[in-house]
Amino acid sequence: MNALPPTRILAIESSCDETACAVIENGRVLLASTVASQMEMHARYGGVFPEVASRQHVLSIIPVVEQTLAKSGLMLKDVDAIAVTRGPGLAGSLVVGMNMAKGLALGLNRPLIGVNHLEGHIYSSWIYNTGEPIPPAPQFPLMALLVSGGHTELNLMTDHLTYKRLGSTLDDAAGEAFDKVGRLLGLPFPGGPAIQRAAESGDATRYNFPRAKLDNPYDFSFSGLKTAVLYAVNEIKKKNEHLPVEDLAASFQETVVDILFKKTMQAARDFDAQEVLVAGGVSANRVLRTRFHSQSDFKVHIPAFSLCTDNAAMIAAAGYYRYAAGHDSALDMDVQPTWPLL
Ligand code: KG4
Ligand code: ZN
């Protein structure tokens, strides 16, 4: 029997401030990936400036696709389908990637697959580099913690593309809390990596910040924690004392990681999960990675650093599983800036 020819998906991601393209084979093998970050451009505003992001995507999208194809060694005709982030994200940013993807799908006469950005983050754990030994794919039932700049939620995955939401944040997302606390500690944007850096020389036990008690044990709330850091900062400033940024950053980071870890473990036990997966920008955090890898009772999947924050490889991976399941989006598909995973 002849083996099936490989299926190659080219994906485009432009939901926020990275213009990205990637090609993935059979949902898992990364052939090429390019991420053009606009981070430095937005840092001066202390956050992503939507108008600037959209204009920059327009400038970057064609070179990013061309570079990715060149790196993959493929021609456009070798691509079987085009996947694109449909949402959630900034409308003006999403639309640039969407139009590029539509142009490619139409010109090449290939299917177009609209992908949910959050599903993309989850599927980053299926990816490995071409030439690497094949790592085992995550096994279901899988407890998936999604921690990005806009979302924090716990979902039970019982099969590919099949989710049950157990809880989510009632206010700020974990990444958003990192960004806001970074700002009030006077650290540069984005707050997550800046807090991680400052915390390296800090004492994580110096401040005992509160944890919200919630009716649903799988929900999250970080706004009280953020306010507690603000009060601590104000107290110190009132007394004209030196602000111990490192200790505050380390204590805040430790509290967030502890909350995320304990809730995920409890959910995994309560729902008889076989394995655990952590995805989204905050999964790049070193303290979080160490905690999950060293203390979990379950096998843990966390993507490689380069796949934690926004990229198109994850959209290609999720797009492959949608494609394999027969999903095909119409060419008049519109972007969906607000689009829950389920
Ligand atoms: O997934 P992502 O790149 O974009 C969204 O889909 O939101 O996540 C961005 C978030 C930001 O809030 C950023 O501060 C956070 O991920 N982040 C981190 C780290 N790297 C990025 N948070 C904590 N520690 C990090 N090392
Ligand atoms: Zn993201």
Side-chain angles (χ1 to χ4, degrees):
M1 202 175 79
N2 288 334
L4 286 173
T7 301
R8 289 162 185 150
I9 310 277
L10 181 144
I12 291 172
E13 149 69 37
S14 69
S15 65
C16 192
D17 60 338
E18 344 265 7
T19 321
C21 179
V23 185
I24 286 254
E25 199 168 89
N26 296 338
R28 299 198 64 196
V29 193
L30 182 57
L31 300 185
S33 173
T34 312
V35 180
S37 174
Q38 309 173 3
M39 199 94 86
E40 278 173 26
M41 229 167 279
H42 298 286
R44 79 182 82 150
Y45 303 109
V48 176
F49 197 126
E51 176 91 17
V52 173
S54 174
R55 285 163 188 259
Q56 195 54 41
H57 284 307
V58 172
L59 297 176
S60 304
I61 190 79
I62 292 176
V64 162
V65 173
E66 284 175 346
Q67 275 174 35
T68 309
L69 268 174
K71 283 191 261 183
S72 73
L74 300 175
M75 314 268 278
L76 273 176
K77 67 171 176 49
D78 302 323
V79 168
D80 297 283
I82 308 292
V84 62
T85 306
R86 185 180 183 189
L90 301 168
S93 289
L94 288 165
V95 100
V96 178
M98 178 61 80
N99 285 337
M100 182 74 194
K102 283 181 181 175
L104 287 169
L106 193 61
L108 296 166
N109 193 24
R110 296 287 190 276
L112 176 69
I113 301 146
V115 173
N116 185 302
H117 180 85
L118 309 177
E119 185 160 82
H121 274 302
I122 287 173
Y123 273 89
S124 48
S125 270
W126 268 260
I127 301 170
Y128 62 93
N129 286 312
T130 177
E132 266 179 15
I134 307 173
Q139 296 298 305
F140 307 113
L142 183 65
M143 188 54 63
L145 171 69
L146 183 64
V147 268
S148 69
H151 296 82
T152 296
E153 46 189 68
L154 268 170
N155 293 308
L156 178 68
M157 253 182 115
T158 47
D159 200 347
H160 278 297
L161 315 172
T162 312
Y163 313 91
K164 179 181 161 67
R165 177 172 313 119
L166 305 177
S168 57
T169 183
L170 305 179
D171 38 61
D172 293 346
E176 194 180 354
F178 267 98
D179 293 340
K180 288 180 176 170
V181 167
R183 201 172 305 150
L184 66 91
L185 293 180
L187 296 169
F189 174 81
I195 286 184
Q196 175 179 299
R197 229 172 297 124
E200 278 164 16
S201 50
D203 174 3
T205 61
R206 176 149 174 201
Y207 295 93
N208 192 8
F209 290 127
R211 285 130 210 271
K213 294 215 165 40
L214 306 169
D215 292 341
N216 174 0
Y218 317 118
D219 275 342
F220 300 88
S221 166
F222 294 108
S223 78
L225 170 59
K226 175 193 65 193
T227 308
V229 179
L230 175 67
Y231 285 166
V233 168
N234 287 346
E235 271 309 297
I236 298 160
K237 283 186 177 165
K238 233 193 296 174
K239 292 186 205 149
N240 271 329
E241 287 172 1
H242 160 76
L243 195 65
V245 172
E246 293 79 8
D247 295 345
L248 286 161
S251 303
F252 164 78
Q253 177 178 256
E254 176 57 31
T255 310
V256 174
V257 168
D258 192 54
I259 292 168
L260 296 174
F261 177 74
K262 286 187 176 149
K263 282 181 182 272
T264 307
M265 288 302 121
Q266 185 182 346
R269 281 191 295 270
D270 293 352
F271 288 85
D272 293 325
Q274 222 186 112
E275 297 182 353
V276 161
L277 176 154
V278 190
V282 181
S283 68
N285 185 274
R286 271 197 220 103
V287 172
L288 177 144
R289 296 169 81 92
T290 305
R291 183 80 186 269
F292 272 86
H293 281 311
S294 65
Q295 291 186 24
S296 168
D297 299 331
F298 302 83
K299 176 169 178 169
V300 176
H301 299 268
I302 309 181
F305 273 114
S306 57
L307 297 175
C308 289
T309 45
D310 292 349
N311 64 84
M314 65 188 202
I315 303 303
Y320 169 81
Y321 288 96
R322 289 265 158 210
Y323 175 73
H327 293 239
D328 187 351
S329 307
L331 273 174
D332 64 354
M333 158 174 65
D334 208 351
V335 298
Q336 220 163 306
T338 308
W339 187 16
L341 178 62
L342 69 156

